[in-house]
Amino acid sequence: MQVELPESAPNNDMVVPDVNVVENDRELKYEIETLYGTGDPVSKLNQTLDKYFNGENAHNINLRIVVPNLQAMLFLPDLLRFEREVRIKFPNVRLW
């Protein structure tokens, strides 16, 4: 297993995840979303999805969005609804 903690993108077109894990030819991208000061958590999560799923290889991306426990408890109904809706369109996206 190889874990990468990228520092910055080589160009502005490339999305850099918070953590990138490569294991057995499978790549998992992790985005940590604290949701601090975002107001509406769903709009922040949609912005994260837009970063990854606007390109031509979007269907190949395995994305995990990590939400810390406190924010997960505060926004639980919104997060559950978001995950149900997102799984239909993007089956490789999970909230953690």
Side-chain angles (χ1 to χ4, degrees):
M1 177 187 334
Q2 177 182 355
V3 177
E4 302 169 358
L5 300 170
E7 293 181 18
S8 63
N11 60 46
N12 291 337
D13 296 333
M14 186 175 173
V15 177
V16 178
D18 292 327
V19 177
N20 194 42
V21 177
V22 179
E23 181 178 25
N24 300 330
D25 297 329
R26 183 175 179 208
E27 186 173 11
L28 290 172
K29 297 180 183 303
Y30 289 85
E31 281 288 334
I32 292 90
E33 295 296 345
T34 61
L35 304 177
Y36 289 125
T38 59
D40 179 22
V42 173
S43 64
K44 174 61 176 153
L45 295 172
N46 281 325
Q47 289 174 3
T48 300
L49 287 180
D50 289 345
K51 286 192 317 189
Y52 286 95
F53 294 99
N54 282 334
E56 56 193 46
N57 292 326
H59 62 281
N60 293 330
I61 295 174
N62 292 302
L63 178 64
R64 305 297 181 254
I65 301 174
V66 180
V67 178
N69 292 341
L70 180 59
Q71 289 81 4
M73 286 180 11
L74 289 172
F75 300 115
L76 185 61
D78 295 326
L79 295 175
L80 291 173
R81 185 172 44 255
F82 172 81
E83 185 171 35
R84 274 193 308 271
E85 293 170 1
V86 166
R87 274 197 179 171
I88 294 167
K89 189 172 181 182
F90 306 112
N92 293 332
V93 173
R94 297 287 184 271
L95 281 180
W96 281 30

